[in-house]
mmCIF file of all heavy atoms in Angstrom:
data_model
loop_
_atom_site.group_PDB
_atom_site.id
_atom_site.type_symbol
_atom_site.label_atom_id
_atom_site.label_comp_id
_atom_site.label_asym_id
_atom_site.label_seq_id
_atom_site.Cartn_x
_atom_site.Cartn_y
_atom_site.Cartn_z
ATOM 1 N N PHE A 1 9.359 15.819 -1.881
ATOM 2 C CA PHE A 1 10.335 14.774 -2.183
ATOM 3 C C PHE A 1 10.136 14.317 -3.613
ATOM 4 O O PHE A 1 9.145 14.677 -4.259
ATOM 5 C CB PHE A 1 10.240 13.607 -1.195
ATOM 6 C CG PHE A 1 8.947 12.843 -1.262
ATOM 7 C CD1 PHE A 1 8.856 11.644 -1.952
ATOM 8 C CD2 PHE A 1 7.811 13.319 -0.630
ATOM 9 C CE1 PHE A 1 7.666 10.935 -2.005
ATOM 10 C CE2 PHE A 1 6.606 12.618 -0.678
ATOM 11 C CZ PHE A 1 6.545 11.424 -1.368
ATOM 12 N N THR A 2 11.080 13.515 -4.109
ATOM 13 C CA THR A 2 11.017 13.058 -5.492
ATOM 14 C C THR A 2 10.073 11.869 -5.584
ATOM 15 O O THR A 2 10.481 10.712 -5.455
ATOM 16 C CB THR A 2 12.409 12.701 -6.012
ATOM 17 O OG1 THR A 2 13.300 13.796 -5.811
ATOM 18 C CG2 THR A 2 12.348 12.386 -7.505
ATOM 19 N N PHE A 3 8.819 12.175 -5.820
ATOM 20 C CA PHE A 3 7.757 11.178 -5.793
ATOM 21 C C PHE A 3 8.052 9.985 -6.700
ATOM 22 O O PHE A 3 7.803 8.832 -6.322
ATOM 23 C CB PHE A 3 6.446 11.855 -6.195
ATOM 24 C CG PHE A 3 5.260 10.937 -6.245
ATOM 25 C CD1 PHE A 3 4.581 10.595 -5.090
ATOM 26 C CD2 PHE A 3 4.813 10.428 -7.454
ATOM 27 C CE1 PHE A 3 3.482 9.760 -5.127
ATOM 28 C CE2 PHE A 3 3.707 9.591 -7.513
ATOM 29 C CZ PHE A 3 3.046 9.255 -6.340
ATOM 30 N N SER A 4 8.573 10.232 -7.881
ATOM 31 C CA SER A 4 8.784 9.169 -8.861
ATOM 32 C C SER A 4 9.838 8.154 -8.436
ATOM 33 O O SER A 4 9.940 7.088 -9.047
ATOM 34 C CB SER A 4 9.165 9.763 -10.219
ATOM 35 O OG SER A 4 10.362 10.509 -10.123
ATOM 36 N N ASN A 5 10.613 8.448 -7.407
ATOM 37 C CA ASN A 5 11.625 7.522 -6.910
ATOM 38 C C ASN A 5 11.130 6.663 -5.748
ATOM 39 O O ASN A 5 11.896 5.853 -5.224
ATOM 40 C CB ASN A 5 12.871 8.279 -6.457
ATOM 41 C CG ASN A 5 13.647 8.870 -7.617
ATOM 42 O OD1 ASN A 5 13.479 8.471 -8.765
ATOM 43 N ND2 ASN A 5 14.513 9.829 -7.321
ATOM 44 N N TYR A 6 9.883 6.821 -5.359
ATOM 45 C CA TYR A 6 9.363 6.152 -4.180
ATOM 46 C C TYR A 6 8.272 5.159 -4.521
ATOM 47 O O TYR A 6 7.363 5.453 -5.315
ATOM 48 C CB TYR A 6 8.789 7.186 -3.193
ATOM 49 C CG TYR A 6 9.842 7.918 -2.408
ATOM 50 C CD1 TYR A 6 10.660 8.854 -3.014
ATOM 51 C CD2 TYR A 6 10.008 7.664 -1.047
ATOM 52 C CE1 TYR A 6 11.630 9.520 -2.290
ATOM 53 C CE2 TYR A 6 10.969 8.332 -0.321
ATOM 54 C CZ TYR A 6 11.780 9.259 -0.943
ATOM 55 O OH TYR A 6 12.738 9.929 -0.222
ATOM 56 N N ALA A 7 8.354 3.992 -3.916
ATOM 57 C CA ALA A 7 7.215 3.091 -3.901
ATOM 58 C C ALA A 7 6.136 3.690 -3.005
ATOM 59 O O ALA A 7 6.434 4.397 -2.042
ATOM 60 C CB ALA A 7 7.623 1.713 -3.389
ATOM 61 N N MET A 8 4.888 3.409 -3.334
ATOM 62 C CA MET A 8 3.774 3.946 -2.567
ATOM 63 C C MET A 8 2.892 2.818 -2.066
ATOM 64 O O MET A 8 2.653 1.836 -2.778
ATOM 65 C CB MET A 8 2.947 4.903 -3.425
ATOM 66 C CG MET A 8 3.725 6.104 -3.957
ATOM 67 S SD MET A 8 4.361 7.177 -2.639
ATOM 68 C CE MET A 8 2.831 7.733 -1.872
ATOM 69 N N SER A 9 2.412 2.977 -0.853
ATOM 70 C CA SER A 9 1.559 1.976 -0.234
ATOM 71 C C SER A 9 0.335 2.634 0.379
ATOM 72 O O SER A 9 0.357 3.810 0.743
ATOM 73 C CB SER A 9 2.298 1.213 0.866
ATOM 74 O OG SER A 9 3.390 0.485 0.356
ATOM 75 N N TRP A 10 -0.715 1.836 0.500
ATOM 76 C CA TRP A 10 -1.875 2.195 1.290
ATOM 77 C C TRP A 10 -1.989 1.220 2.457
ATOM 78 O O TRP A 10 -1.880 0.005 2.262
ATOM 79 C CB TRP A 10 -3.162 2.151 0.468
ATOM 80 C CG TRP A 10 -3.307 3.258 -0.523
ATOM 81 C CD1 TRP A 10 -2.985 3.231 -1.845
ATOM 82 C CD2 TRP A 10 -3.822 4.567 -0.264
ATOM 83 N NE1 TRP A 10 -3.269 4.432 -2.434
ATOM 84 C CE2 TRP A 10 -3.786 5.277 -1.488
ATOM 85 C CE3 TRP A 10 -4.319 5.208 0.872
ATOM 86 C CZ2 TRP A 10 -4.218 6.601 -1.601
ATOM 87 C CZ3 TRP A 10 -4.747 6.521 0.758
ATOM 88 C CH2 TRP A 10 -4.693 7.195 -0.460
ATOM 89 N N TYR A 11 -2.198 1.772 3.639
ATOM 90 C CA TYR A 11 -2.470 1.012 4.845
ATOM 91 C C TYR A 11 -3.830 1.412 5.372
ATOM 92 O O TYR A 11 -4.367 2.472 5.029
ATOM 93 C CB TYR A 11 -1.426 1.296 5.926
ATOM 94 C CG TYR A 11 -0.055 0.708 5.697
ATOM 95 C CD1 TYR A 11 0.812 1.238 4.749
ATOM 96 C CD2 TYR A 11 0.390 -0.373 6.453
ATOM 97 C CE1 TYR A 11 2.074 0.711 4.550
ATOM 98 C CE2 TYR A 11 1.654 -0.907 6.270
ATOM 99 C CZ TYR A 11 2.491 -0.355 5.320
ATOM 100 O OH TYR A 11 3.748 -0.887 5.140
ATOM 101 N N ARG A 12 -4.380 0.583 6.235
ATOM 102 C CA ARG A 12 -5.602 0.956 6.927
ATOM 103 C C ARG A 12 -5.529 0.500 8.378
ATOM 104 O O ARG A 12 -4.829 -0.454 8.705
ATOM 105 C CB ARG A 12 -6.844 0.379 6.253
ATOM 106 C CG ARG A 12 -6.958 -1.139 6.284
ATOM 107 C CD ARG A 12 -8.138 -1.590 5.430
ATOM 108 N NE ARG A 12 -8.280 -3.037 5.420
ATOM 109 C CZ ARG A 12 -9.087 -3.704 4.609
ATOM 110 N NH1 ARG A 12 -9.833 -3.045 3.722
ATOM 111 N NH2 ARG A 12 -9.164 -5.034 4.666
ATOM 112 N N GLN A 13 -6.274 1.192 9.222
ATOM 113 C CA GLN A 13 -6.247 0.900 10.646
ATOM 114 C C GLN A 13 -7.609 1.159 11.269
ATOM 115 O O GLN A 13 -8.232 2.187 11.009
ATOM 116 C CB GLN A 13 -5.193 1.752 11.345
ATOM 117 C CG GLN A 13 -4.985 1.403 12.810
ATOM 118 C CD GLN A 13 -3.758 2.061 13.383
ATOM 119 O OE1 GLN A 13 -3.326 3.111 12.909
ATOM 120 N NE2 GLN A 13 -3.177 1.445 14.391
ATOM 121 N N THR A 14 -8.048 0.215 12.075
ATOM 122 C CA THR A 14 -9.249 0.345 12.878
ATOM 123 C C THR A 14 -8.818 0.481 14.333
ATOM 124 O O THR A 14 -7.879 -0.208 14.759
ATOM 125 C CB THR A 14 -10.159 -0.876 12.703
ATOM 126 O OG1 THR A 14 -10.554 -0.987 11.337
ATOM 127 C CG2 THR A 14 -11.403 -0.769 13.574
ATOM 128 N N PRO A 15 -9.469 1.354 15.111
ATOM 129 C CA PRO A 15 -9.086 1.495 16.517
ATOM 130 C C PRO A 15 -9.014 0.154 17.235
ATOM 131 O O PRO A 15 -9.917 -0.675 17.115
ATOM 132 C CB PRO A 15 -10.190 2.380 17.092
ATOM 133 C CG PRO A 15 -10.622 3.207 15.928
ATOM 134 C CD PRO A 15 -10.540 2.281 14.737
ATOM 135 N N GLY A 16 -7.921 -0.060 17.950
ATOM 136 C CA GLY A 16 -7.717 -1.303 18.659
ATOM 137 C C GLY A 16 -7.049 -2.392 17.852
ATOM 138 O O GLY A 16 -6.757 -3.459 18.400
ATOM 139 N N LYS A 17 -6.811 -2.151 16.569
ATOM 140 C CA LYS A 17 -6.157 -3.122 15.714
ATOM 141 C C LYS A 17 -4.870 -2.527 15.146
ATOM 142 O O LYS A 17 -4.714 -1.313 15.055
ATOM 143 C CB LYS A 17 -7.068 -3.545 14.565
ATOM 144 C CG LYS A 17 -8.355 -4.220 14.994
ATOM 145 C CD LYS A 17 -9.197 -4.610 13.789
ATOM 146 C CE LYS A 17 -10.487 -5.275 14.207
ATOM 147 N NZ LYS A 17 -11.329 -5.615 13.025
ATOM 148 N N GLU A 18 -3.966 -3.410 14.746
ATOM 149 C CA GLU A 18 -2.718 -2.949 14.155
ATOM 150 C C GLU A 18 -2.954 -2.433 12.742
ATOM 151 O O GLU A 18 -3.918 -2.815 12.070
ATOM 152 C CB GLU A 18 -1.680 -4.073 14.144
ATOM 153 C CG GLU A 18 -2.018 -5.223 13.220
ATOM 154 C CD GLU A 18 -0.973 -6.321 13.247
ATOM 155 O OE1 GLU A 18 -0.147 -6.328 14.172
ATOM 156 O OE2 GLU A 18 -0.979 -7.181 12.342
ATOM 157 N N ARG A 19 -2.081 -1.561 12.312
ATOM 158 C CA ARG A 19 -2.165 -1.049 10.968
ATOM 159 C C ARG A 19 -1.854 -2.152 9.957
ATOM 160 O O ARG A 19 -0.882 -2.893 10.101
ATOM 161 C CB ARG A 19 -1.209 0.128 10.809
ATOM 162 C CG ARG A 19 -1.432 0.948 9.558
ATOM 163 C CD ARG A 19 -0.651 2.264 9.609
ATOM 164 N NE ARG A 19 -1.147 3.158 10.656
ATOM 165 C CZ ARG A 19 -0.717 4.398 10.832
ATOM 166 N NH1 ARG A 19 0.213 4.905 10.036
ATOM 167 N NH2 ARG A 19 -1.209 5.132 11.819
ATOM 168 N N GLU A 20 -2.667 -2.239 8.918
ATOM 169 C CA GLU A 20 -2.604 -3.320 7.946
ATOM 170 C C GLU A 20 -2.186 -2.795 6.584
ATOM 171 O O GLU A 20 -2.739 -1.806 6.097
ATOM 172 C CB GLU A 20 -3.980 -3.996 7.846
ATOM 173 C CG GLU A 20 -4.108 -5.034 6.748
ATOM 174 C CD GLU A 20 -5.543 -5.476 6.520
ATOM 175 O OE1 GLU A 20 -6.472 -4.742 6.914
ATOM 176 O OE2 GLU A 20 -5.741 -6.574 5.958
ATOM 177 N N LEU A 21 -1.239 -3.474 5.964
ATOM 178 C CA LEU A 21 -0.851 -3.134 4.596
ATOM 179 C C LEU A 21 -1.939 -3.602 3.642
ATOM 180 O O LEU A 21 -2.291 -4.781 3.613
ATOM 181 C CB LEU A 21 0.482 -3.783 4.237
ATOM 182 C CG LEU A 21 0.966 -3.599 2.796
ATOM 183 C CD1 LEU A 21 1.216 -2.132 2.486
ATOM 184 C CD2 LEU A 21 2.223 -4.422 2.541
ATOM 185 N N VAL A 22 -2.448 -2.685 2.840
ATOM 186 C CA VAL A 22 -3.508 -2.982 1.888
ATOM 187 C C VAL A 22 -2.945 -3.271 0.508
ATOM 188 O O VAL A 22 -3.302 -4.269 -0.125
ATOM 189 C CB VAL A 22 -4.516 -1.820 1.818
ATOM 190 C CG1 VAL A 22 -5.579 -2.085 0.756
ATOM 191 C CG2 VAL A 22 -5.168 -1.597 3.179
ATOM 192 N N THR A 23 -2.073 -2.388 0.029
ATOM 193 C CA THR A 23 -1.523 -2.532 -1.309
ATOM 194 C C THR A 23 -0.275 -1.684 -1.460
ATOM 195 O O THR A 23 -0.095 -0.688 -0.754
ATOM 196 C CB THR A 23 -2.565 -2.135 -2.377
ATOM 197 O OG1 THR A 23 -2.026 -2.292 -3.689
ATOM 198 C CG2 THR A 23 -3.006 -0.678 -2.187
ATOM 199 N N THR A 24 0.591 -2.090 -2.378
ATOM 200 C CA THR A 24 1.826 -1.385 -2.666
ATOM 201 C C THR A 24 2.048 -1.328 -4.169
ATOM 202 O O THR A 24 1.739 -2.288 -4.884
ATOM 203 C CB THR A 24 3.036 -2.083 -2.014
ATOM 204 O OG1 THR A 24 2.888 -2.072 -0.596
ATOM 205 C CG2 THR A 24 4.341 -1.381 -2.374
ATOM 206 N N MET A 25 2.595 -0.226 -4.628
ATOM 207 C CA MET A 25 2.988 -0.080 -6.027
ATOM 208 C C MET A 25 4.420 0.424 -6.089
ATOM 209 O O MET A 25 4.810 1.336 -5.360
ATOM 210 C CB MET A 25 2.056 0.878 -6.762
ATOM 211 C CG MET A 25 2.487 1.176 -8.202
ATOM 212 S SD MET A 25 1.223 2.061 -9.155
ATOM 213 C CE MET A 25 0.224 0.672 -9.711
ATOM 214 N N SER A 26 5.206 -0.151 -6.988
ATOM 215 C CA SER A 26 6.583 0.264 -7.172
ATOM 216 C C SER A 26 6.638 1.682 -7.727
ATOM 217 O O SER A 26 5.640 2.252 -8.164
ATOM 218 C CB SER A 26 7.315 -0.694 -8.106
ATOM 219 O OG SER A 26 6.721 -0.694 -9.396
ATOM 220 N N SER A 27 7.843 2.247 -7.712
ATOM 221 C CA SER A 27 8.001 3.641 -8.105
ATOM 222 C C SER A 27 7.569 3.912 -9.539
ATOM 223 O O SER A 27 7.046 4.988 -9.835
ATOM 224 C CB SER A 27 9.453 4.081 -7.897
ATOM 225 O OG SER A 27 10.339 3.286 -8.675
ATOM 226 N N THR A 28 7.792 2.950 -10.417
ATOM 227 C CA THR A 28 7.420 3.110 -11.822
ATOM 228 C C THR A 28 6.004 2.658 -12.127
ATOM 229 O O THR A 28 5.501 2.901 -13.225
ATOM 230 C CB THR A 28 8.378 2.332 -12.730
ATOM 231 O OG1 THR A 28 8.250 0.929 -12.462
ATOM 232 C CG2 THR A 28 9.814 2.768 -12.503
ATOM 233 N N GLY A 29 5.376 1.984 -11.187
ATOM 234 C CA GLY A 29 4.066 1.418 -11.433
ATOM 235 C C GLY A 29 4.094 0.061 -12.092
ATOM 236 O O GLY A 29 3.036 -0.482 -12.422
ATOM 237 N N SER A 30 5.282 -0.507 -12.266
ATOM 238 C CA SER A 30 5.410 -1.776 -12.964
ATOM 239 C C SER A 30 5.076 -2.983 -12.098
ATOM 240 O O SER A 30 4.881 -4.082 -12.628
ATOM 241 C CB SER A 30 6.825 -1.931 -13.518
ATOM 242 O OG SER A 30 7.778 -1.948 -12.471
ATOM 243 N N SER A 31 5.027 -2.800 -10.795
ATOM 244 C CA SER A 31 4.781 -3.907 -9.884
ATOM 245 C C SER A 31 3.800 -3.481 -8.809
ATOM 246 O O SER A 31 3.906 -2.379 -8.268
ATOM 247 C CB SER A 31 6.089 -4.373 -9.250
ATOM 248 O OG SER A 31 5.872 -5.430 -8.337
ATOM 249 N N THR A 32 2.860 -4.366 -8.503
ATOM 250 C CA THR A 32 1.889 -4.116 -7.439
ATOM 251 C C THR A 32 1.684 -5.379 -6.622
ATOM 252 O O THR A 32 1.941 -6.486 -7.086
ATOM 253 C CB THR A 32 0.530 -3.670 -7.990
ATOM 254 O OG1 THR A 32 0.004 -4.694 -8.850
ATOM 255 C CG2 THR A 32 0.649 -2.375 -8.778
ATOM 256 N N ASN A 33 1.213 -5.211 -5.408
ATOM 257 C CA ASN A 33 0.729 -6.330 -4.633
ATOM 258 C C ASN A 33 -0.448 -5.873 -3.778
ATOM 259 O O ASN A 33 -0.602 -4.683 -3.503
ATOM 260 C CB ASN A 33 1.825 -6.998 -3.800
ATOM 261 C CG ASN A 33 2.393 -6.098 -2.717
ATOM 262 O OD1 ASN A 33 2.127 -4.898 -2.655
ATOM 263 N ND2 ASN A 33 3.198 -6.689 -1.845
ATOM 264 N N TYR A 34 -1.266 -6.852 -3.371
ATOM 265 C CA TYR A 34 -2.484 -6.572 -2.631
ATOM 266 C C TYR A 34 -2.653 -7.572 -1.511
ATOM 267 O O TYR A 34 -2.301 -8.743 -1.648
ATOM 268 C CB TYR A 34 -3.714 -6.660 -3.535
ATOM 269 C CG TYR A 34 -3.757 -5.645 -4.642
ATOM 270 C CD1 TYR A 34 -3.188 -5.918 -5.883
ATOM 271 C CD2 TYR A 34 -4.372 -4.413 -4.456
ATOM 272 C CE1 TYR A 34 -3.224 -4.987 -6.905
ATOM 273 C CE2 TYR A 34 -4.414 -3.479 -5.472
ATOM 274 C CZ TYR A 34 -3.842 -3.766 -6.693
ATOM 275 O OH TYR A 34 -3.884 -2.841 -7.714
ATOM 276 N N ALA A 35 -3.220 -7.104 -0.418
ATOM 277 C CA ALA A 35 -3.656 -8.026 0.612
ATOM 278 C C ALA A 35 -4.746 -8.928 0.047
ATOM 279 O O ALA A 35 -5.552 -8.503 -0.787
ATOM 280 C CB ALA A 35 -4.184 -7.266 1.829
ATOM 281 N N ASP A 36 -4.770 -10.177 0.501
ATOM 282 C CA ASP A 36 -5.769 -11.112 -0.009
ATOM 283 C C ASP A 36 -7.195 -10.598 0.185
ATOM 284 O O ASP A 36 -8.074 -10.862 -0.643
ATOM 285 C CB ASP A 36 -5.622 -12.469 0.682
ATOM 286 C CG ASP A 36 -4.400 -13.235 0.221
ATOM 287 O OD1 ASP A 36 -3.843 -12.902 -0.845
ATOM 288 O OD2 ASP A 36 -4.004 -14.182 0.924
ATOM 289 N N SER A 37 -7.418 -9.866 1.252
ATOM 290 C CA SER A 37 -8.754 -9.399 1.569
ATOM 291 C C SER A 37 -9.298 -8.373 0.583
ATOM 292 O O SER A 37 -10.503 -8.136 0.548
ATOM 293 C CB SER A 37 -8.785 -8.812 2.985
ATOM 294 O OG SER A 37 -7.885 -7.721 3.097
ATOM 295 N N VAL A 38 -8.418 -7.757 -0.215
ATOM 296 C CA VAL A 38 -8.866 -6.716 -1.138
ATOM 297 C C VAL A 38 -8.602 -7.054 -2.596
ATOM 298 O O VAL A 38 -8.993 -6.281 -3.483
ATOM 299 C CB VAL A 38 -8.233 -5.350 -0.808
ATOM 300 C CG1 VAL A 38 -8.463 -4.986 0.649
ATOM 301 C CG2 VAL A 38 -6.745 -5.335 -1.140
ATOM 302 N N LYS A 39 -7.965 -8.184 -2.861
ATOM 303 C CA LYS A 39 -7.688 -8.564 -4.247
ATOM 304 C C LYS A 39 -8.979 -8.628 -5.057
ATOM 305 O O LYS A 39 -9.995 -9.113 -4.593
ATOM 306 C CB LYS A 39 -6.978 -9.912 -4.298
ATOM 307 C CG LYS A 39 -5.521 -9.856 -3.894
ATOM 308 C CD LYS A 39 -4.868 -11.223 -3.994
ATOM 309 C CE LYS A 39 -3.404 -11.162 -3.619
ATOM 310 N NZ LYS A 39 -2.770 -12.493 -3.654
ATOM 311 N N ASP A 40 -8.918 -8.132 -6.271
ATOM 312 C CA ASP A 40 -10.029 -8.104 -7.222
ATOM 313 C C ASP A 40 -11.089 -7.074 -6.872
ATOM 314 O O ASP A 40 -12.100 -6.971 -7.581
ATOM 315 C CB ASP A 40 -10.673 -9.486 -7.380
ATOM 316 C CG ASP A 40 -9.688 -10.542 -7.827
ATOM 317 O OD1 ASP A 40 -8.855 -10.249 -8.706
ATOM 318 O OD2 ASP A 40 -9.750 -11.672 -7.298
#
């Protein structure tokens, strides 16, 4: 697929728990966000 047109995210999951959004980056890399637990 056209990678440069897609925002990308990382999630994590522990057995028995729901999948958690860790971080996201926009398609150009100009914008990011992080879960509070992983900031810094």
